[in-house]
Amino acid sequence: MRIAELSRRTGVPIPTIKYYTREGLLPPGERTGPNQAQYGEAHVRRLKLARALVEVGGLSIASAREVLSLMFSTGVSQLDTIGKAQYVMTAPRDYTEDEAWQEAVAEVDRLLEERGWQVKPTNPARRTLADALATMRRLGQDDFAKVLGSYADAAERVAADEVKTLLHRGDLDSIVEGVVIWTAMGDTILASLRRLAHEAESTRLFGDF
Amino acid sequence: MRIAELSRRTGVPIPTIKYYTREGLLPPGERTGPNQAQYGEAHVRRLKLARALVEVGGLSIASAREVLSLMFSTGVSQLDTIGKAQYVMTAPRDYTEDEAWQEAVAEVDRLLEERGWQVKPTNPARRTLADALATMRRLGQDDFAKVLGSYADAAERVAADEVKTLLHRGDLDSIVEGVVIWTAMGDTILASLRRLAHEAESTRLFGDF
């Protein structure tokens, strides 16, 4: 199909398609003329995925590029892809190695230990979590420690249910695709639900304000 | 204090302080000379908060500006501030009003109904959630519906515990500050914990891969 058809099929505007292609999120179509290219079903699928990861999942272009190339690369085992994709989808950030940071790192280690969560030292989520917890300390939000357990319970239940449900698919390729999509979308879904629950709880306690 | 001292106290680089001031996240210091300004404790507090919201909370500069001006504006009641800040911290996004979208909107209404969550129609999280659920449908992830309940349970427990813990503070100003900081940081903390739990669960099922 031509780019116009690809745009119609996916709902992605042509300039965005060209941008994604330039950024390596989407492989170029097959040249059929000086200003013409043909696209196939693989493009439709990958374009929808790229758009979802970037626009709803909030991944950076760089992360989306890496995740997509992992997913569509042959030669990489699917379990490898899952592991790598998960790590790519955790944006690393700068952090200050002050006292709050050191305490937070220890706090994360303790939490993983207590819960019996086996997590590689290289999992970037350890750092992201420690960074966020350190920020809480720096901002004097020490009572947040009281709710960290609820957070971990929530994450544990959700993750277990997600893994179980994805495994029911059987087919490994669609499991891998699910892991990537659910990991990215799940953050947005959980964040929205938490906000809705906050308003619901406040309204329950204080009435309509 | 001078800007160098402000930078030392907060760990925020001077160029970032100038950028935040230009963007209206931080009020300018009191001019004491052609190229000199004095900053006070209020600047230290607000600068730490601004940096946290932007760099760890992932808020856009625009959202952070709005939240901060709400928090530090007199005249607005604190309950008002909480409500408004929560809404600002839910980034609205474009969406396609296709069939998947319509179904998702209905799905969100049903979910709120079933759970007895009283949420205003204007809460932007309704739209964000519907958008993410529609994306899941468009990507053929229909089995995600099976885990949505776990997500809602998780959000409900976390939100209830957060509200309870924050109310223990008593002082309304620090409750408001907590709501803002926890809402922003909470997303990052929950997302990291979910990733750690994903790896822990996979390792539990498949061993080290």
Side-chain angles (χ1 to χ4, degrees):
Chain A
M1 73 197 83
R2 305 274 206 78
I3 193 164
E5 166 77 356
L6 179 64
S7 170
R8 203 187 54 65
R9 284 275 305 279
T10 56
V12 181
I14 293 181
T16 308
I17 296 178
K18 291 184 170 168
Y19 171 63
Y20 284 177
T21 311
R22 211 165 48 239
E23 290 293 332
L25 273 60
L26 189 72
E30 193 188 325
R31 284 250 156 274
T32 53
N35 292 318
Q36 260 186 46
Q38 285 291 325
Y39 299 85
E41 289 307 317
H43 286 93
V44 173
R45 180 104 205 111
R46 183 156 171 168
L47 180 53
K48 282 185 182 175
L49 196 51
R51 206 256 302 256
L53 293 177
V54 173
E55 291 185 14
V56 188
L59 262 67
S60 69
I61 293 291
S63 303
R65 182 194 302 121
E66 209 168 330
V67 171
L68 288 164
S69 69
L70 275 167
M71 287 178 67
F72 292 87
S73 66
T74 52
V76 189
S77 91
Q78 286 100 332
L79 281 183
D80 249 31
T81 306
I82 291 180
K84 292 208 184 94
Q86 292 265 22
Y87 285 12
V88 172
M89 285 186 287
T90 309
R93 40 170 69 83
D94 307 335
Y95 55 91
T96 336
E97 284 196 3
D98 59 4
E99 201 183 306
W101 159 257
Q102 300 296 353
E103 285 172 19
V105 170
E107 196 176 355
V108 171
D109 291 342
R110 260 199 317 278
L111 182 122
L112 296 175
E113 173 84 44
E114 283 164 11
R115 305 219 151 227
W117 289 5
Q118 276 192 51
V119 176
K120 294 199 182 69
T122 52
N123 189 323
R126 284 171 170 266
R127 222 181 83 171
T128 313
L129 177 57
D131 187 32
L133 294 177
T135 303
M136 286 295 217
R137 284 181 188 277
R138 291 188 198 109
L139 294 171
Q141 307 294 307
D142 299 344
D143 52 350
F144 181 83
K146 292 186 195 140
V147 302
L148 188 57
S150 307
Y151 268 71
D153 290 341
E156 200 164 57
R157 291 211 193 81
V158 165
D161 201 15
E162 286 180 306
V163 171
K164 194 185 90 234
T165 308
L166 282 170
L167 288 175
H168 272 123
R169 292 183 175 186
D171 157 42
L172 205 40
D173 280 334
S174 73
I175 290 176
V176 172
E177 187 178 274
V179 169
V180 170
I181 298 172
W182 292 26
T183 300
M185 298 302 136
D187 292 338
T188 306
I189 292 169
L190 205 44
S192 329
L193 283 166
R194 184 168 152 259
R195 279 159 177 64
L196 295 169
H198 277 146
E199 181 172 325
E201 181 66 6
S202 312
T203 308
R204 199 177 66 73
L205 294 172
F206 305 109
D208 200 346
F209 64 82
Chain B
M1 73 196 84
R2 305 275 207 78
I3 193 163
E5 166 78 357
L6 179 63
S7 169
R8 202 186 56 65
R9 284 275 304 279
T10 57
V12 181
I14 292 179
T16 309
I17 296 178
K18 290 183 169 168
Y19 170 64
Y20 284 177
T21 310
R22 212 163 48 238
E23 290 293 332
L25 272 62
L26 190 72
E30 193 187 325
R31 285 251 154 275
T32 53
N35 294 316
Q36 260 187 47
Q38 284 292 324
Y39 298 86
E41 289 308 316
H43 286 94
V44 173
R45 180 102 203 114
R46 184 157 173 169
L47 180 54
K48 282 184 182 173
L49 195 51
R51 207 256 303 258
L53 293 176
V54 173
E55 291 183 15
V56 187
L59 261 66
S60 69
I61 293 293
S63 302
R65 183 194 302 118
E66 208 168 332
V67 171
L68 288 164
S69 69
L70 274 168
M71 287 178 66
F72 292 86
S73 66
T74 51
V76 190
S77 91
Q78 286 101 332
L79 281 181
D80 249 32
T81 306
I82 291 179
K84 293 207 183 93
Q86 291 265 22
Y87 285 12
V88 172
M89 286 187 285
T90 310
R93 37 170 69 85
D94 306 336
Y95 55 92
T96 336
E97 283 196 2
D98 59 3
E99 201 183 305
W101 159 257
Q102 301 295 352
E103 285 172 19
V105 169
E107 196 176 354
V108 171
D109 291 342
R110 262 200 316 280
L111 181 123
L112 296 175
E113 174 83 43
E114 285 164 12
R115 305 219 151 226
W117 290 3
Q118 276 191 54
V119 176
K120 293 198 182 68
T122 51
N123 189 322
R126 284 170 171 267
R127 223 180 84 172
T128 313
L129 178 57
D131 187 31
L133 294 176
T135 302
M136 287 296 216
R137 284 180 188 279
R138 293 190 196 106
L139 295 171
Q141 307 293 308
D142 299 346
D143 51 350
F144 181 82
K146 293 187 194 142
V147 301
L148 188 57
S150 306
Y151 268 70
D153 289 341
E156 201 164 54
R157 292 212 192 79
V158 166
D161 201 13
E162 287 179 306
V163 171
K164 194 185 89 230
T165 308
L166 282 171
L167 287 175
H168 273 124
R169 292 183 175 186
D171 156 44
L172 205 40
D173 279 334
S174 73
I175 290 175
V176 172
E177 187 178 273
V179 168
V180 170
I181 298 172
W182 293 26
T183 301
M185 298 301 135
D187 292 339
T188 306
I189 292 169
L190 205 44
S192 332
L193 284 167
R194 184 166 151 261
R195 279 159 175 66
L196 295 169
H198 275 146
E199 180 171 324
E201 181 66 6
S202 312
T203 308
R204 201 177 65 73
L205 294 172
F206 305 109
D208 200 346
F209 63 83

